[in-house]
Amino acid sequence: MTSPRWHAGPDVLAAYAGNRLDDVGQAAVETHLTRCPTCRADATPLVPPTDLEPVWEGVAVAIANATPWPLRVLRRLGLRDTDLVLLRASSDLVVPFAVALMSAVTFTIIAGQVSPARQQLLYLLVAPLLPALLVAGAYDSTDPLRELAEATSLSKLRVALLRTALAAAGALPLALLMGLVPGIGLGIGLWLLPAIAVSVATLALLTWFVAPVTLAVVTAAWASVVVVLGATGNVAAASTALGQACFAAAAVVAALVLARRLGLGEGARS
Amino acid sequence: MRRYDVDDAVLLRQVAEGDEAALRALFDRHAAWLQLRLRRRTSDPELVADVLQDTFLAAWRGAARYRGEGDVGAWLWGIAIRRLVSRLRSHRAPAPVQHEVIDAELPAVVSAEDELLVAVEHGDVGSALRELSPELRTIVQATLIDGLTTREAARLLGLPQGTVKSRMRAARSQLRGRLVPLEGGTP
């Protein structure tokens, strides 16, 4: 762009910034500023840096928080931007998500090879564990956040629930993917309550143990439940109202333990 | 200061490649005058800060869509004034800037009216503008100077679109009537 022949000069610009020009003068200054780098530079000292620095910080934070897909899913569902920033701070979610995705794909391959009767058993074994894996992974990767949570007005429960929500957003499509194996069919819905129970129990255990230990305990416990069901020929029991009620009850118990461990009484802070 | 001698268009290309320092350099050059100009459009300083932030975020995400036509300053202002209009419409809901929005908000190709804008600096149009009624001047400012469409101008000014259109017609014919005798004198 060629520079204009005349310049507004500091006095006119100061009058403009102070709103002391009439409409026409204002229009003239504005059209001029649009195309004159010299006068733009002259206008810069007229705005206090304290006005602009917070704006730049907002821009920088937003750039640093470019959102990966599970977070975009959560935002679509109505999660607030401030919570997204918190979750984004847990930067190492890639590994647990990759492991869970690999498990899901491996599962579909294996499940295609075995008899339909065993497919449901296998699905029941794997599907509820995926969210638990993600919860443990998410918790582990956000571990530095524990100090942050102590220092901020965010309640620990909120952080924990956000992590679980993030895990659910990641796990739901994976479990549906596994449900695509023919023969499992309507069994898809079966995993949801066990998954919640297992995930909440994982969160509760995480307040005692480190992530790998927790995951081992949870996996072993859930596997033995499924194996017992399979060995006694009662896989169908998991899908009955009574079976689902048991899972729901287990989830509630786990949630109560979790609430206690997180000291919900002091939650008034948030 | 930093990268002072680098052209805005070059900086914007670096921004398109993900160079945050280049965005900062653009911010240092443009944020102040954009802020001053936005403050002439709304009295709410928080809204101005929000719009300014939106603008540079949009520039970060949409830098690749700058086609090298026209001044980068004009491009940024085109984004800023449209962000302001959409914030006013949505009662300041902090909507994240999506790519489609940026596409829609990129200023149109430089119009024939650009010639007229240059003339505003030189007084001929200035004196003609001065003779317009305040209502008509506001319309001219929103459409010719801010480069808004009739619909956007209507939103910014809180007027029905029909009113904006009819006032724009009136302003055009008055301006034309006053400028035609002067035209022989312009280079």
Side-chain angles (χ1 to χ4, degrees), chain A residues 63-112:
Chain A
I63 288 172
N65 294 334
T67 32
W69 66 266
L71 297 183
R72 282 204 302 272
V73 171
L74 288 175
R75 183 160 66 192
R76 279 278 158 86
L77 294 172
L79 194 71
R80 288 188 319 219
D81 278 1
T82 46
D83 291 336
L84 279 180
V85 171
L86 177 72
L87 286 177
R88 185 67 186 122
S90 29
S91 54
D92 294 330
L93 290 176
V94 178
V95 173
F97 274 116
V99 171
L101 185 62
M102 287 290 292
S103 319
V105 172
T106 314
F107 169 84
T108 46
I109 294 168
I110 295 173

Side-chain angles (χ1 to χ4, degrees), chain B residues 55-66:
Chain B
T55 304
F56 282 91
L57 260 185
W60 173 256
R61 291 174 194 165
R65 270 165 286 241
Y66 172 71

Side-chain angles (χ1 to χ4, degrees), chain A residues 1 4-6 16-17 19 22-24 26-28 30-35 40-41 43-44 46-47 51-53 55-56 58-60 62-63 75, chain B residues 4 8 20 23-24 27 30-33 35-37 39-41 49 52-53 56-57 60 71 73-74 114 118 120-122 126 129-130 137 141 145:
Chain A
M1 293 300 290
R5 281 156 293 181
W6 66 277
Y16 171 69
N19 213 0
D22 68 3
D23 285 355
V24 176
Q26 186 179 316
E30 286 175 349
T31 46
H32 179 74
L33 276 176
T34 311
R35 56 193 66 231
R40 279 178 213 152
T44 305
L46 298 172
V47 180
D51 278 12
L52 295 181
E53 215 39 49
V55 174
W56 171 256
V59 173
I63 288 172
R75 183 160 66 192
Chain B
Y4 204 72
D8 279 352
E20 199 180 316
L23 186 71
R24 173 77 220 210
F27 186 88
H30 294 280
W33 74 272
Q35 196 250 26
L36 287 175
R37 196 167 170 180
R39 264 174 41 200
R40 302 277 88 75
R41 303 292 181 281
L52 210 50
Q53 186 173 321
F56 282 91
L57 260 185
W60 173 256
D71 195 290
D114 236 35
V118 181
V120 174
E121 291 180 8
H122 297 291
L129 269 181
R130 216 176 290 277
R137 270 209 302 268
Q141 188 179 45
I145 296 178

Side-chain angles (χ1 to χ4, degrees), chain B residues 89-132:
Chain B
R89 176 190 47 187
S90 61
H91 299 284
R92 314 190 45 198
V97 193
Q98 305 293 332
H99 284 305
E100 318 85 70
V101 180
I102 296 172
D103 278 337
E105 287 179 357
L106 292 186
V109 184
V110 186
S111 69
E113 277 154 351
D114 236 35
E115 297 287 313
L116 181 64
L117 296 187
V118 181
V120 174
E121 291 180 8
H122 297 291
D124 299 350
V125 177
S127 57
L129 269 181
R130 216 176 290 277
E131 288 167 35
L132 290 179

Side-chain angles (χ1 to χ4, degrees), chain A residues 17-264:
Chain A
N19 213 0
R20 280 178 271 121
L21 293 180
D22 68 3
D23 285 355
V24 176
Q26 186 179 316
V29 169
E30 286 175 349
T31 46
H32 179 74
L33 276 176
T34 311
R35 56 193 66 231
C36 178
T38 311
C39 289
R40 279 178 213 152
D42 285 348
T44 305
L46 298 172
V47 180
T50 47
D51 278 12
L52 295 181
E53 215 39 49
V55 174
W56 171 256
E57 259 148 44
V59 173
V61 166
I63 288 172
N65 294 334
T67 32
W69 66 266
L71 297 183
R72 282 204 302 272
V73 171
L74 288 175
R75 183 160 66 192
R76 279 278 158 86
L77 294 172
L79 194 71
R80 288 188 319 219
D81 278 1
T82 46
D83 291 336
L84 279 180
V85 171
L86 177 72
L87 286 177
R88 185 67 186 122
S90 29
S91 54
D92 294 330
L93 290 176
V94 178
V95 173
F97 274 116
V99 171
L101 185 62
M102 287 290 292
S103 319
V105 172
T106 314
F107 169 84
T108 46
I109 294 168
I110 295 173
Q113 318 275 326
V114 301
S115 68
R118 296 207 170 270
Q119 278 179 4
Q120 268 208 344
L121 191 62
L122 201 58
Y123 187 77
L124 192 60
L125 175 66
V126 176
L129 281 177
L130 278 187
L133 171 69
L134 288 170
V135 167
Y139 192 91
D140 208 31
S141 66
T142 54
D143 223 20
L145 277 176
R146 268 189 287 200
E147 287 144 52
L148 190 75
E150 304 280 359
T152 62
S153 59
L154 284 158
S155 80
K156 289 186 207 168
L157 182 65
R158 180 167 189 79
V159 177
L161 289 178
L162 279 172
R163 285 174 183 144
T164 312
L166 180 68
L172 209 74
L174 294 183
L176 288 177
L177 175 71
M178 297 194 303
L180 289 180
V181 175
I184 291 174
L186 290 175
I188 288 174
L190 218 84
W191 73 286
L192 202 60
L193 274 171
I196 292 170
V198 170
S199 299
V200 179
T202 305
L203 272 174
L205 286 174
L206 279 168
T207 62
W208 275 289
F209 309 116
V210 294
V213 175
T214 306
L215 200 60
V217 170
V218 168
T219 308
W222 178 246
S224 37
V225 170
V226 175
V227 166
V228 166
L229 282 176
T232 55
N234 281 328
V235 180
S239 58
T240 61
L242 180 65
Q244 291 284 306
C246 287
F247 292 132
V252 170
V253 169
L256 286 176
V257 171
L258 177 65
R260 226 189 135 76
R261 287 290 293 169
L262 292 175
L264 204 57

